[in-house]
Amino acid sequence: MSEEILINITPMETRVAVVENGVLQEVYIERTRRRGIVGNIYKGKVVRVLPGMQAAFVDIGLERAAFIHAADVVPADRPNGAEVESISSLLHEGQSLIVQVTKEPIGTKGARLTTHLSIPSRYLVYMPHTPHTGVSQRIEDESERDRLRQIVESAAPDGETEGVSKQGGFIIRTAAEGFGEEEILADTHFLYRLWRAVERRCKGAKNKTIIYEDLPLFMRTMRDFVRPEIEKIRIDSRENHAKLKEFVQEFVPSLESKVEYYPGERPIFDLYGVEDEIQKALGRKVQLKSGGYLVIDQTEAMTTIDVNTGAFVGHRNLEETIFKTNLEAATAIVRQLRLRNLGGIIILDFIDMEDPEHQRQVLRLLEKNLERDHAKTKLTGVTELGLVQMTRKRTRESLEQVMCEPCPTCEARGTLKTPETVCYEIFREILREERAYGSDTYLVLASQPVVDRLLDEESASVADLELFINKTIKFQVETFYSQEQFDIVLL
């Protein structure tokens, strides 16, 4: 299987696409003014304790107070089955607390926190307060698991980190499989030094300040998503290509030959058809090659995916038509889960199959495809109603939540792209026009909210773009344009 990672970087946002056999499978978006915060460590202040919910709200300096449950406050080495202490005995209002974000703020919900801190590197995750060594379940070879565990357990802080406690523990990541003692030990010493620096910052930090911030998206990609089967990592920013090469040389030297700078005139996402796939992923309906289709509905409580035969009539009989549609849907569903980053409870409504063997084959194919998913998933069997229930771990917003907002016209029954998203589309379109045709001046026709944002919050980005292309950009409000509609006029 051919796999590539594409990295598109502009001053406004970073986007990463995972492409398998020429087909987009996953996309990650990080905007400069709204970076993801999962993995960040803060010194927070407890603002409210809720005994009835066994939880508390902690102010870490975000727009909304974050949420922490009692189970995420008690010591990590609490015996299994032991009763969780009352939140009132663990925390009190006004208390300072070192916490780590485990889930992004999503919708109306604040960030989710824990005091069980962990810091990742390429091969390991260091847990300073957890005296335990674990191994990724994806490393199946028992002898390899034992070898890696012995290497990590024999590691000790080096001379630069004598003050670091040896009581912490590690989780050995899937990426460590097959690597030697030298690389693993180098990771342990790096994490020990990093934790020592975090401890020093904790002592002098004020409440509601950040102590440790995770790497930017394009570097996290190298650490978290790159597997041995990845053939190329292509990035379209010369400056960040140099930074990425330095990072790879220091931490993942085996990948250095795979990192390439893409200098092409055509945007890298356009070259691979990623832009079109992203637009399709914002719709409810997904067409299957056979003529069938999926209908995906995302709600706050769960996501439902309905499978339909559509225009597919088959060649033999109804049962065979249904079976083939469900097999194709099983592969398409997993791709959509990854591409849209759908999480939480997911209900799959396959077309009813009378043959039990057909049901088993569809479930087996679904399970096989889920093995390639980075997110943790759990799949149940078919219910009495013929539904397949599953869960997928949710740590960040879905693609729709990142790129869209509730539509005021339809009273939140649907969504449309935010003015911010439309602004970035306008910037990219201007760059395309400049490369293809060139013009002395560009006139942007757009709706009032989009033009307002271009002249206010995005004014610095507009100035940067004008400087970059050495051309003037003007704006004009078109009253009858929808929020997503715009035109670029060459003057």
Side-chain angles (χ1 to χ4, degrees):
M1 177 176 286
S2 170
E3 279 194 59
E4 293 183 50
I5 289 180
L6 313 176
I7 305 175
N8 167 232
I9 299 182
T10 66
M12 298 74 69
E13 65 179 356
T14 297
R15 300 184 299 166
V16 174
V18 179
V19 178
E20 296 177 2
N21 294 330
V23 180
L24 178 65
Q25 298 293 331
E26 296 178 34
V27 63
Y28 301 86
I29 299 174
E30 182 176 87
R31 288 174 175 167
T32 307
R33 293 180 177 83
R34 197 180 68 177
R35 276 190 61 182
I37 61 171
V38 168
N40 290 358
I41 298 175
Y42 295 84
K43 186 171 186 178
K45 180 181 178 182
V46 179
V47 293
R48 192 178 178 194
V49 177
L50 306 170
M53 294 178 62
Q54 277 288 73
F57 286 105
V58 182
D59 187 354
I60 58 174
L62 302 181
E63 185 179 341
R64 291 189 297 274
F67 178 87
I68 189 167
H69 191 270
D72 295 315
V73 181
V74 295
D77 57 353
R78 177 175 60 90
N80 289 334
E83 187 176 347
V84 177
E85 295 178 57
S86 166
I87 191 71
S88 301
S89 65
L90 296 167
L91 300 176
H92 59 268
E93 292 184 13
Q95 178 181 345
S96 295
L97 195 65
I98 303 297
V99 291
Q100 186 167 35
V101 178
T102 59
K103 285 187 180 181
E104 298 275 0
I106 298 176
T108 58
K109 299 177 182 177
R112 183 72 182 260
L113 306 175
T114 182
T115 59
H116 304 158
L117 309 183
S118 62
I119 301 178
S121 64
R122 173 63 178 163
Y123 305 116
L124 305 168
V125 177
Y126 179 51
M127 303 174 293
H129 303 143
T130 306
H132 167 73
T133 300
V135 184
S136 167
Q137 292 182 351
R138 294 192 178 186
I139 301 178
E140 298 177 353
D141 188 316
E142 201 58 43
S143 61
E144 176 67 0
R145 294 172 66 89
D146 291 339
R147 183 186 73 87
L148 292 169
R149 190 181 283 109
Q150 287 173 10
I151 292 173
V152 171
E153 290 179 347
S154 67
D158 59 18
E160 298 178 50
T161 53
E162 290 177 353
V164 176
S165 169
K166 185 69 169 63
Q167 294 179 349
F170 291 91
I171 294 174
I172 301 168
R173 307 181 72 174
T174 309
E177 187 172 12
F179 281 86
E181 183 175 357
E182 184 180 349
E183 291 94 337
I184 307 299
L185 291 180
D187 250 21
T188 65
H189 294 147
F190 164 75
L191 288 169
Y192 280 137
R193 289 194 296 273
L194 182 56
W195 174 244
R196 186 63 175 155
V198 170
E199 283 188 315
R200 286 195 297 269
R201 292 192 200 109
C202 287
K203 291 175 182 176
K206 297 179 180 179
N207 286 339
K208 299 188 286 184
T209 57
I210 187 166
I211 304 294
Y212 164 81
E213 188 171 15
D214 206 356
L215 295 169
L217 176 60
F218 72 98
M219 290 185 180
R220 288 204 311 275
T221 299
M222 306 302 296
R223 185 191 69 193
D224 298 340
F225 306 137
V226 176
R227 298 187 291 266
E229 53 265 35
I230 295 288
E231 293 183 356
K232 289 181 184 177
I233 301 103
R234 310 185 77 183
I235 180 169
D236 65 0
S237 165
R238 189 184 299 276
E239 178 187 352
N240 288 290
H241 172 256
K243 293 179 182 177
L244 196 61
K245 290 284 276 188
E246 289 178 11
F247 178 82
V248 169
Q249 286 168 1
E250 183 174 358
F251 297 108
V252 207
S254 61
L255 298 175
E256 186 177 356
S257 62
K258 297 183 178 182
V259 178
E260 295 181 2
Y261 168 60
Y262 172 75
E265 287 293 317
R266 191 178 179 191
I268 190 170
F269 273 26
D270 287 2
L271 183 68
Y272 284 79
V274 172
E275 292 286 8
D276 290 340
E277 289 300 316
I278 291 175
Q279 299 304 319
K280 290 177 184 176
L282 297 176
R284 288 182 68 228
K285 195 171 180 179
V286 179
Q287 287 293 151
L288 303 177
K289 289 182 179 179
S290 64
Y293 62 92
L294 310 177
V295 176
I296 302 175
D297 286 308
Q298 184 181 349
T299 68
E300 190 166 343
M302 67 178 69
T303 298
T304 61
I305 302 179
D306 185 34
V307 182
N308 297 277
T309 55
F312 182 49
V313 295
H315 303 287
R316 298 173 66 182
N317 54 54
L318 178 61
E319 181 66 18
E320 192 69 20
T321 300
I322 290 172
F323 177 53
K324 288 184 176 179
T325 303
N326 283 340
L327 283 176
E328 186 183 3
T331 300
I333 284 170
V334 175
R335 176 174 176 259
Q336 291 298 321
L337 294 180
R338 295 171 63 188
L339 178 55
R340 299 169 185 243
N341 190 34
L342 300 173
I345 300 170
I346 300 166
I347 305 297
L348 312 178
D349 186 8
F350 287 101
I351 307 168
D352 291 340
M353 295 172 284
E354 296 181 3
D355 188 340
E357 180 57 28
H358 285 176
Q359 290 184 10
R360 283 192 291 270
Q361 287 188 44
V362 169
L363 280 178
R364 276 200 297 269
L365 182 60
L366 192 63
E367 289 171 345
K368 183 180 178 182
N369 286 318
L370 285 171
E371 289 174 2
R372 300 190 61 79
D373 195 345
H374 290 290
K376 185 178 180 181
T377 58
K378 184 179 180 181
L379 187 67
T380 66
V382 181
T383 68
E384 292 181 2
L385 296 176
L387 305 174
V388 176
Q389 300 174 352
M390 65 171 289
T391 59
R392 186 173 185 269
K393 188 174 182 181
R394 175 167 49 198
T395 58
R396 58 188 176 91
E397 293 177 307
S398 69
L399 186 67
E400 182 183 83
Q401 289 167 328
V402 170
M403 296 187 67
C404 302
E405 66 180 10
C407 174
T409 304
C410 65
E411 298 180 348
R413 290 191 300 272
T415 60
L416 74 163
K417 297 173 189 172
T418 64
E420 182 184 24
T421 295
V422 178
C423 287
Y424 296 147
E425 289 187 350
I426 289 171
F427 295 150
R428 291 196 291 271
E429 185 60 31
I430 290 173
L431 286 171
R432 287 192 192 97
E433 298 289 343
E434 175 64 16
R435 287 167 179 162
Y437 307 108
S439 176
D440 293 333
T441 305
Y442 292 94
L443 174 63
V444 177
L445 308 177
S447 64
Q448 185 74 55
V450 173
V451 172
D452 287 346
R453 186 171 185 95
L454 286 165
L455 296 175
D456 189 2
E457 292 98 324
E458 302 297 338
S459 57
S461 298
V462 172
D464 289 344
L465 184 58
E466 286 182 324
L467 186 63
F468 181 75
I469 64 176
N470 197 26
K471 302 292 171 61
T472 301
I473 303 172
K474 297 180 179 180
F475 305 98
Q476 180 177 313
V477 174
E478 289 294 326
T479 310
F480 297 105
Y481 274 29
S482 69
Q483 186 161 293
E484 295 185 0
Q485 189 178 356
F486 66 85
D487 287 300
I488 310 294
V489 181
L490 280 62
L491 301 177

Short mmCIF file of all heavy atoms in Angstrom, two decimals, residues 275-323:
data_model
loop_
_atom_site.label_atom_id
_atom_site.label_comp_id
_atom_site.label_asym_id
_atom_site.label_seq_id
_atom_site.Cartn_x
_atom_site.Cartn_y
_atom_site.Cartn_z
N GLU A 275 -8.43 19.11 -1.86
CA GLU A 275 -9.43 20.17 -1.65
C GLU A 275 -10.83 19.69 -1.97
O GLU A 275 -11.78 19.93 -1.22
CB GLU A 275 -9.09 21.39 -2.51
CG GLU A 275 -7.82 22.12 -2.10
CD GLU A 275 -7.97 22.95 -0.84
OE1 GLU A 275 -9.03 22.85 -0.17
OE2 GLU A 275 -7.04 23.67 -0.50
N ASP A 276 -10.98 18.99 -3.09
CA ASP A 276 -12.30 18.49 -3.49
C ASP A 276 -12.83 17.49 -2.47
O ASP A 276 -14.03 17.49 -2.14
CB ASP A 276 -12.22 17.82 -4.86
CG ASP A 276 -11.99 18.82 -5.98
OD1 ASP A 276 -12.26 20.02 -5.76
OD2 ASP A 276 -11.53 18.42 -7.06
N GLU A 277 -11.95 16.62 -1.96
CA GLU A 277 -12.38 15.61 -0.98
C GLU A 277 -12.81 16.26 0.33
O GLU A 277 -13.74 15.79 0.99
CB GLU A 277 -11.25 14.60 -0.74
CG GLU A 277 -10.99 13.67 -1.91
CD GLU A 277 -12.21 12.84 -2.27
OE1 GLU A 277 -12.87 12.32 -1.36
OE2 GLU A 277 -12.52 12.73 -3.48
N ILE A 278 -12.13 17.33 0.73
CA ILE A 278 -12.50 18.03 1.96
C ILE A 278 -13.90 18.63 1.80
O ILE A 278 -14.73 18.55 2.71
CB ILE A 278 -11.47 19.12 2.31
CG1 ILE A 278 -10.14 18.48 2.74
CG2 ILE A 278 -12.00 20.03 3.42
CD1 ILE A 278 -9.03 19.49 2.99
N GLN A 279 -14.16 19.22 0.63
CA GLN A 279 -15.48 19.80 0.39
C GLN A 279 -16.57 18.72 0.44
O GLN A 279 -17.64 18.92 1.02
CB GLN A 279 -15.51 20.51 -0.97
CG GLN A 279 -14.53 21.67 -1.10
CD GLN A 279 -14.70 22.73 -0.03
OE1 GLN A 279 -15.81 23.08 0.34
NE2 GLN A 279 -13.59 23.22 0.49
N LYS A 280 -16.29 17.56 -0.16
CA LYS A 280 -17.25 16.45 -0.14
C LYS A 280 -17.50 15.96 1.29
O LYS A 280 -18.61 15.55 1.64
CB LYS A 280 -16.75 15.29 -0.99
CG LYS A 280 -16.76 15.57 -2.49
CD LYS A 280 -16.19 14.37 -3.24
CE LYS A 280 -16.08 14.65 -4.74
NZ LYS A 280 -15.43 13.51 -5.46
N ALA A 281 -16.44 15.99 2.12
CA ALA A 281 -16.56 15.48 3.49
C ALA A 281 -17.42 16.36 4.38
O ALA A 281 -17.75 15.97 5.51
CB ALA A 281 -15.17 15.33 4.11
N LEU A 282 -17.79 17.54 3.90
CA LEU A 282 -18.67 18.41 4.68
C LEU A 282 -20.14 18.16 4.35
O LEU A 282 -21.03 18.73 4.97
CB LEU A 282 -18.33 19.88 4.41
CG LEU A 282 -16.92 20.32 4.83
CD1 LEU A 282 -16.67 21.76 4.42
CD2 LEU A 282 -16.72 20.15 6.33
N GLY A 283 -20.41 17.28 3.39
CA GLY A 283 -21.79 16.98 3.01
C GLY A 283 -22.34 15.77 3.75
O GLY A 283 -21.59 14.97 4.30
N ARG A 284 -23.66 15.62 3.73
CA ARG A 284 -24.31 14.49 4.41
C ARG A 284 -24.21 13.21 3.60
O ARG A 284 -24.12 12.13 4.15
CB ARG A 284 -25.80 14.78 4.63
CG ARG A 284 -26.10 15.81 5.71
CD ARG A 284 -27.61 15.96 5.86
NE ARG A 284 -28.23 14.77 6.42
CZ ARG A 284 -29.31 14.18 5.91
NH1 ARG A 284 -29.87 14.63 4.80
NH2 ARG A 284 -29.82 13.12 6.50
N LYS A 285 -24.25 13.35 2.28
CA LYS A 285 -24.37 12.18 1.42
C LYS A 285 -23.02 11.81 0.82
O LYS A 285 -22.28 12.67 0.35
CB LYS A 285 -25.37 12.49 0.30
CG LYS A 285 -25.88 11.28 -0.46
CD LYS A 285 -27.04 11.69 -1.38
CE LYS A 285 -27.60 10.52 -2.16
NZ LYS A 285 -28.71 10.92 -3.03
N VAL A 286 -22.70 10.52 0.86
CA VAL A 286 -21.45 10.01 0.30
C VAL A 286 -21.79 8.96 -0.75
O VAL A 286 -22.38 7.92 -0.44
CB VAL A 286 -20.55 9.37 1.39
CG1 VAL A 286 -19.27 8.82 0.77
CG2 VAL A 286 -20.23 10.38 2.48
N GLN A 287 -21.43 9.22 -1.99
CA GLN A 287 -21.72 8.28 -3.08
C GLN A 287 -20.73 7.12 -3.07
O GLN A 287 -19.54 7.30 -2.85
CB GLN A 287 -21.63 8.99 -4.42
CG GLN A 287 -22.78 9.95 -4.73
CD GLN A 287 -24.10 9.23 -4.91
OE1 GLN A 287 -25.15 9.80 -4.64
NE2 GLN A 287 -24.07 7.99 -5.38
N LEU A 288 -21.24 5.91 -3.29
CA LEU A 288 -20.40 4.72 -3.44
C LEU A 288 -20.23 4.44 -4.92
O LEU A 288 -21.09 4.79 -5.74
CB LEU A 288 -21.04 3.53 -2.73
CG LEU A 288 -21.34 3.70 -1.23
CD1 LEU A 288 -22.03 2.45 -0.68
CD2 LEU A 288 -20.06 3.98 -0.45
N LYS A 289 -19.14 3.78 -5.29
CA LYS A 289 -18.86 3.52 -6.71
C LYS A 289 -19.94 2.68 -7.38
O LYS A 289 -20.22 2.81 -8.56
CB LYS A 289 -17.50 2.84 -6.85
CG LYS A 289 -16.32 3.76 -6.56
CD LYS A 289 -15.00 3.04 -6.76
CE LYS A 289 -13.83 3.98 -6.48
NZ LYS A 289 -12.53 3.29 -6.65
N SER A 290 -20.56 1.80 -6.59
CA SER A 290 -21.57 0.90 -7.16
C SER A 290 -22.87 1.62 -7.52
O SER A 290 -23.69 1.11 -8.28
CB SER A 290 -21.89 -0.20 -6.15
OG SER A 290 -22.48 0.37 -4.99
N GLY A 291 -23.06 2.83 -6.96
CA GLY A 291 -24.33 3.54 -7.15
C GLY A 291 -25.08 3.70 -5.84
O GLY A 291 -26.01 4.49 -5.74
N GLY A 292 -24.69 2.92 -4.82
CA GLY A 292 -25.26 3.09 -3.49
C GLY A 292 -24.72 4.35 -2.84
O GLY A 292 -23.89 5.05 -3.41
N TYR A 293 -25.18 4.64 -1.62
CA TYR A 293 -24.69 5.84 -0.95
C TYR A 293 -24.86 5.72 0.57
O TYR A 293 -25.63 4.89 1.08
CB TYR A 293 -25.39 7.09 -1.47
CG TYR A 293 -26.89 7.13 -1.24
CD1 TYR A 293 -27.43 7.72 -0.10
CD2 TYR A 293 -27.78 6.59 -2.17
CE1 TYR A 293 -28.80 7.77 0.12
CE2 TYR A 293 -29.14 6.64 -1.98
CZ TYR A 293 -29.66 7.23 -0.83
OH TYR A 293 -31.00 7.27 -0.62
N LEU A 294 -24.09 6.55 1.30
CA LEU A 294 -24.20 6.67 2.75
C LEU A 294 -24.85 8.01 3.08
O LEU A 294 -24.65 8.99 2.37
CB LEU A 294 -22.83 6.63 3.42
CG LEU A 294 -21.86 5.51 3.06
CD1 LEU A 294 -20.54 5.72 3.79
CD2 LEU A 294 -22.45 4.15 3.39
N VAL A 295 -25.60 8.05 4.18
CA VAL A 295 -26.10 9.30 4.72
C VAL A 295 -25.56 9.43 6.14
O VAL A 295 -25.83 8.56 6.98
CB VAL A 295 -27.64 9.36 4.72
CG1 VAL A 295 -28.12 10.65 5.38
CG2 VAL A 295 -28.18 9.27 3.30
N ILE A 296 -24.79 10.49 6.39
CA ILE A 296 -24.11 10.66 7.68
C ILE A 296 -24.73 11.85 8.40
O ILE A 296 -24.75 12.97 7.88
CB ILE A 296 -22.60 10.89 7.47
CG1 ILE A 296 -22.00 9.69 6.72
CG2 ILE A 296 -21.89 11.10 8.80
CD1 ILE A 296 -20.54 9.86 6.36
N ASP A 297 -25.23 11.61 9.60
CA ASP A 297 -25.81 12.67 10.43
C ASP A 297 -25.05 12.74 11.74
O ASP A 297 -25.00 11.76 12.50
CB ASP A 297 -27.29 12.41 10.69
CG ASP A 297 -28.15 12.69 9.47
OD1 ASP A 297 -28.02 13.80 8.92
OD2 ASP A 297 -28.91 11.81 9.06
N GLN A 298 -24.49 13.91 12.02
CA GLN A 298 -23.69 14.12 13.23
C GLN A 298 -24.49 14.97 14.22
O GLN A 298 -24.92 16.07 13.90
CB GLN A 298 -22.39 14.83 12.85
CG GLN A 298 -21.42 15.02 13.99
CD GLN A 298 -20.16 15.75 13.53
OE1 GLN A 298 -19.93 15.93 12.34
NE2 GLN A 298 -19.35 16.17 14.48
N THR A 299 -24.72 14.44 15.41
CA THR A 299 -25.40 15.18 16.46
C THR A 299 -24.47 15.27 17.67
O THR A 299 -23.39 14.69 17.68
CB THR A 299 -26.71 14.49 16.90
OG1 THR A 299 -26.39 13.25 17.56
CG2 THR A 299 -27.60 14.20 15.70
N GLU A 300 -24.90 16.00 18.70
CA GLU A 300 -24.05 16.14 19.89
C GLU A 300 -23.90 14.81 20.62
O GLU A 300 -22.86 14.50 21.18
CB GLU A 300 -24.64 17.20 20.83
CG GLU A 300 -23.69 17.58 21.95
CD GLU A 300 -24.13 18.85 22.68
OE1 GLU A 300 -24.96 19.60 22.14
OE2 GLU A 300 -23.63 19.07 23.79
N ALA A 301 -24.96 13.99 20.61
CA ALA A 301 -24.93 12.73 21.37
C ALA A 301 -24.25 11.61 20.61
O ALA A 301 -23.54 10.79 21.19
CB ALA A 301 -26.36 12.32 21.73
N MET A 302 -24.46 11.53 19.30
CA MET A 302 -23.93 10.40 18.53
C MET A 302 -23.92 10.74 17.04
O MET A 302 -24.46 11.76 16.61
CB MET A 302 -24.76 9.14 18.77
CG MET A 302 -26.17 9.23 18.21
SD MET A 302 -27.11 7.70 18.45
CE MET A 302 -27.33 7.72 20.23
N THR A 303 -23.31 9.85 16.27
CA THR A 303 -23.33 9.96 14.82
C THR A 303 -24.02 8.73 14.25
O THR A 303 -23.75 7.61 14.69
CB THR A 303 -21.90 10.06 14.27
OG1 THR A 303 -21.27 11.23 14.77
CG2 THR A 303 -21.90 10.11 12.75
N THR A 304 -24.90 8.92 13.30
CA THR A 304 -25.56 7.79 12.65
C THR A 304 -25.16 7.75 11.18
O THR A 304 -25.05 8.80 10.52
CB THR A 304 -27.10 7.89 12.75
OG1 THR A 304 -27.54 9.07 12.08
CG2 THR A 304 -27.54 7.92 14.20
N ILE A 305 -24.92 6.54 10.67
CA ILE A 305 -24.56 6.35 9.26
C ILE A 305 -25.51 5.32 8.67
O ILE A 305 -25.57 4.17 9.12
CB ILE A 305 -23.10 5.90 9.12
CG1 ILE A 305 -22.15 6.93 9.77
CG2 ILE A 305 -22.75 5.71 7.64
CD1 ILE A 305 -20.69 6.55 9.70
N ASP A 306 -26.25 5.74 7.66
CA ASP A 306 -27.26 4.89 7.03
C ASP A 306 -26.75 4.45 5.66
O ASP A 306 -26.26 5.27 4.88
CB ASP A 306 -28.57 5.67 6.89
CG ASP A 306 -29.70 4.81 6.34
OD1 ASP A 306 -29.72 3.60 6.65
OD2 ASP A 306 -30.52 5.34 5.58
N VAL A 307 -26.88 3.16 5.35
CA VAL A 307 -26.41 2.61 4.07
C VAL A 307 -27.62 2.35 3.17
O VAL A 307 -28.61 1.75 3.61
CB VAL A 307 -25.63 1.29 4.28
CG1 VAL A 307 -25.11 0.76 2.94
CG2 VAL A 307 -24.48 1.50 5.26
N ASN A 308 -27.53 2.80 1.91
CA ASN A 308 -28.63 2.62 0.95
C ASN A 308 -28.09 2.07 -0.37
O ASN A 308 -27.00 2.42 -0.80
CB ASN A 308 -29.33 3.96 0.69
CG ASN A 308 -29.97 4.52 1.94
OD1 ASN A 308 -31.07 4.16 2.30
ND2 ASN A 308 -29.25 5.41 2.61
N THR A 309 -28.90 1.24 -1.05
CA THR A 309 -28.46 0.68 -2.34
C THR A 309 -28.52 1.72 -3.45
O THR A 309 -27.76 1.64 -4.41
CB THR A 309 -29.34 -0.52 -2.75
OG1 THR A 309 -30.71 -0.10 -2.75
CG2 THR A 309 -29.14 -1.68 -1.81
N GLY A 310 -29.39 2.72 -3.32
CA GLY A 310 -29.47 3.78 -4.33
C GLY A 310 -29.75 3.22 -5.72
O GLY A 310 -30.68 2.44 -5.93
N ALA A 311 -28.86 3.61 -6.67
CA ALA A 311 -29.05 3.21 -8.07
C ALA A 311 -28.48 1.83 -8.36
O ALA A 311 -28.58 1.34 -9.49
CB ALA A 311 -28.40 4.24 -8.99
N PHE A 312 -27.87 1.18 -7.36
CA PHE A 312 -27.24 -0.13 -7.59
C PHE A 312 -28.31 -1.22 -7.57
O PHE A 312 -28.96 -1.44 -6.56
CB PHE A 312 -26.17 -0.39 -6.53
CG PHE A 312 -25.45 -1.69 -6.73
CD1 PHE A 312 -24.92 -2.05 -7.96
CD2 PHE A 312 -25.26 -2.57 -5.66
CE1 PHE A 312 -24.24 -3.24 -8.14
CE2 PHE A 312 -24.58 -3.76 -5.82
CZ PHE A 312 -24.07 -4.10 -7.07
N VAL A 313 -28.50 -1.92 -8.70
CA VAL A 313 -29.53 -2.96 -8.79
C VAL A 313 -28.93 -4.36 -8.86
O VAL A 313 -29.66 -5.35 -8.80
CB VAL A 313 -30.44 -2.74 -10.02
CG1 VAL A 313 -31.22 -1.45 -9.87
CG2 VAL A 313 -29.61 -2.70 -11.31
N GLY A 314 -27.61 -4.44 -8.95
CA GLY A 314 -26.96 -5.76 -8.94
C GLY A 314 -27.16 -6.51 -10.24
O GLY A 314 -27.74 -6.02 -11.21
N HIS A 315 -26.65 -7.77 -10.23
CA HIS A 315 -26.71 -8.59 -11.44
C HIS A 315 -27.38 -9.95 -11.19
O HIS A 315 -27.77 -10.62 -12.13
CB HIS A 315 -25.30 -8.82 -11.98
CG HIS A 315 -24.57 -7.55 -12.28
ND1 HIS A 315 -24.89 -6.75 -13.36
CD2 HIS A 315 -23.55 -6.93 -11.63
CE1 HIS A 315 -24.08 -5.69 -13.38
NE2 HIS A 315 -23.26 -5.78 -12.35
N ARG A 316 -27.48 -10.36 -9.93
CA ARG A 316 -27.98 -11.71 -9.64
C ARG A 316 -29.30 -11.68 -8.88
O ARG A 316 -30.37 -11.92 -9.42
CB ARG A 316 -26.92 -12.49 -8.87
CG ARG A 316 -25.62 -12.66 -9.68
CD ARG A 316 -24.50 -13.28 -8.86
NE ARG A 316 -24.81 -14.66 -8.50
CZ ARG A 316 -24.02 -15.42 -7.75
NH1 ARG A 316 -22.90 -14.93 -7.27
NH2 ARG A 316 -24.37 -16.66 -7.46
N ASN A 317 -29.25 -11.34 -7.60
CA ASN A 317 -30.49 -11.30 -6.81
C ASN A 317 -30.37 -10.22 -5.74
O ASN A 317 -29.30 -9.63 -5.55
CB ASN A 317 -30.78 -12.67 -6.16
CG ASN A 317 -29.59 -13.16 -5.34
OD1 ASN A 317 -29.09 -12.47 -4.46
ND2 ASN A 317 -29.13 -14.38 -5.63
N LEU A 318 -31.46 -9.98 -5.05
CA LEU A 318 -31.51 -8.88 -4.07
C LEU A 318 -30.50 -9.09 -2.95
O LEU A 318 -29.80 -8.15 -2.55
CB LEU A 318 -32.93 -8.76 -3.51
CG LEU A 318 -33.12 -7.67 -2.44
CD1 LEU A 318 -32.80 -6.30 -3.01
CD2 LEU A 318 -34.55 -7.72 -1.89
N GLU A 319 -30.43 -10.32 -2.41
CA GLU A 319 -29.51 -10.58 -1.29
C GLU A 319 -28.06 -10.31 -1.68
O GLU A 319 -27.29 -9.73 -0.90
CB GLU A 319 -29.67 -12.04 -0.82
CG GLU A 319 -28.79 -12.42 0.37
CD GLU A 319 -29.13 -11.70 1.65
OE1 GLU A 319 -30.24 -11.15 1.76
OE2 GLU A 319 -28.26 -11.66 2.55
N GLU A 320 -27.68 -10.69 -2.91
CA GLU A 320 -26.31 -10.45 -3.38
C GLU A 320 -26.06 -8.96 -3.56
O GLU A 320 -24.99 -8.45 -3.26
CB GLU A 320 -26.09 -11.19 -4.71
CG GLU A 320 -24.64 -11.26 -5.14
CD GLU A 320 -23.81 -12.17 -4.26
OE1 GLU A 320 -24.38 -13.02 -3.54
OE2 GLU A 320 -22.57 -12.00 -4.25
N THR A 321 -27.06 -8.23 -4.05
CA THR A 321 -26.95 -6.78 -4.22
C THR A 321 -26.73 -6.10 -2.87
O THR A 321 -25.86 -5.23 -2.72
CB THR A 321 -28.22 -6.21 -4.88
OG1 THR A 321 -28.39 -6.83 -6.16
CG2 THR A 321 -28.14 -4.71 -5.04
N ILE A 322 -27.51 -6.51 -1.87
CA ILE A 322 -27.40 -5.94 -0.53
C ILE A 322 -26.03 -6.25 0.06
O ILE A 322 -25.36 -5.37 0.65
CB ILE A 322 -28.53 -6.49 0.36
CG1 ILE A 322 -29.87 -5.91 -0.06
CG2 ILE A 322 -28.25 -6.18 1.84
CD1 ILE A 322 -31.07 -6.54 0.63
N PHE A 323 -25.56 -7.50 -0.09
CA PHE A 323 -24.28 -7.92 0.45
C PHE A 323 -23.13 -7.09 -0.15
O PHE A 323 -22.26 -6.59 0.58
CB PHE A 323 -24.08 -9.41 0.19
CG PHE A 323 -22.75 -9.95 0.64
CD1 PHE A 323 -22.31 -9.74 1.94
CD2 PHE A 323 -21.95 -10.67 -0.24
CE1 PHE A 323 -21.08 -10.25 2.36
CE2 PHE A 323 -20.73 -11.17 0.17
CZ PHE A 323 -20.29 -10.96 1.48
#
